[in-house]
Amino acid sequence: MGGVNLVAGFRPELWRGVAPDDAPPEIEGFNEDLMGIDGFVMPATQHDAVLWLSGSAYDVVFDMARQAIGELGGLASLGDETSSWPYRHDRDLTGFIDGTENPSLIDAPDVALVPGGTAGAGGTILLLQKWVHDAPAWEALPIAGQERVMGRAKLDSVELEDKASDSHVASTDQDRFGKIFRRNMPFGTVTDHGTMFVGFSAEQRPLTAMLESMAGLAGGARDALTRYTRPITGAYYFVPSTEDVRRFI
């Protein structure tokens, strides 16, 4: 309460070089653009590290971010920064509820954390993407059209029984690709905004499989939502457990 939470992640190859016994062997960075159908591209903008700070008020986050930048001044330079905020409790800037299929906070560790007894135990794999919305095009759709794109009802997020095969729900079906834990956040201004996709998983494959499906590389159509929003960044990070990080402090 009143403090700041910090998530620190590292380029998988970088963390593996520093702590080879504490890194999942199969994880790799977002090192190449993901080329989808119809000329759709998910760009690779991998950095060496990421800090995600969240708090009860922007001033405490601001101060802590400035302190973190100062502490790292001799080791790293700032490549990018984004400020986000919650929107209508649990909705993104499309107006739909986000993270409907998330596990409960009790079950989330089983989905997000690398299991004990394996390399990187207690850590998690993070997929981070910045998606820019075409707000005029999206808002020009009637509610029924938006619901068809999403595959869910806008008011209560109930999954449509007759959802289209290219709907966002169908393209990212977690029963098909595996469970993840999402903590997406809106960003931007009134006229230029979008969603920071923040997805955690104990394995990288569910995350990459969902991206391939959205891009139309899984044998189906391209995700209809990608007609109204596009990624401008893409990176994977390994977030080690607090215990593993403390070994270097």
Side-chain angles (χ1 to χ4, degrees):
M1 299 296 291
V4 173
N5 294 317
L6 171 65
V7 175
F10 303 90
R11 177 197 291 265
E13 294 86 352
L14 176 62
W15 181 255
R16 186 177 298 115
V18 172
D21 295 332
D22 296 321
E26 75 284 353
I27 182 177
E28 59 183 23
F30 205 133
N31 299 320
E32 297 182 358
D33 293 349
L34 179 62
M35 310 300 293
I37 63 174
D38 304 329
F40 179 70
V41 179
M42 292 186 178
T45 58
Q46 184 73 52
H47 288 89
D48 286 330
V50 63
L51 296 179
W52 177 26
L53 294 90
S54 62
S56 58
Y58 184 69
D59 56 353
V60 295
V61 174
F62 179 89
D63 288 343
M64 188 60 67
R66 292 281 297 170
Q67 181 179 336
I69 292 171
E71 292 287 342
L72 295 171
L75 300 172
S77 60
L78 183 64
D80 191 18
E81 64 172 300
T82 302
S83 296
S84 301
W85 69 92
Y87 179 72
R88 296 189 181 181
H89 181 60
D90 55 3
R91 295 180 185 264
D92 66 25
L93 295 183
T94 66
F96 281 74
I97 296 172
D98 190 72
T100 301
E101 293 192 26
N102 262 352
S104 69
L105 292 181
I106 294 176
D107 295 330
D110 293 333
V111 170
L113 299 184
V114 177
T118 60
T124 184
I125 297 164
L126 164 64
L127 169 61
L128 186 66
Q129 290 180 301
K130 180 184 286 189
W131 290 74
V132 176
H133 296 181
D134 184 348
W138 178 253
E139 292 166 357
L141 286 177
I143 298 298
Q146 294 180 359
E147 291 179 335
R148 182 205 170 280
V149 169
M150 287 293 191
R152 292 188 181 278
K154 191 168 187 178
L155 179 63
D156 54 14
S157 202
V158 172
E159 188 171 323
L160 303 181
E161 293 185 3
D162 58 345
K163 63 182 178 294
S165 60
D166 66 343
S167 68
H168 186 55
V169 168
S171 298
T172 59
D173 184 1
Q174 293 192 37
D175 290 333
R176 177 183 173 192
F177 299 113
K179 298 294 184 181
I180 66 171
F181 184 68
R182 298 160 51 121
R183 294 295 291 171
N184 294 356
M185 293 294 291
F187 76 91
T189 66
V190 173
T191 56
D192 183 15
H193 53 256
T195 298
M196 290 298 299
F197 177 85
V198 184
F200 297 98
S201 179
E203 298 179 285
Q204 189 172 26
R205 186 55 195 163
L207 296 166
T208 57
M210 287 182 189
L211 294 190
E212 292 167 355
S213 175
M214 291 179 68
L217 300 178
R222 180 176 141 199
D223 188 334
L225 186 58
T226 64
R227 312 288 178 180
Y228 303 93
T229 181
R230 62 184 177 87
I232 60 173
T233 71
Y236 286 108
Y237 298 97
F238 180 65
V239 181
S241 68
T242 303
E243 291 76 13
D244 284 346
V245 171
R246 280 180 176 153
R247 295 195 296 108
F248 297 94
I249 298 175

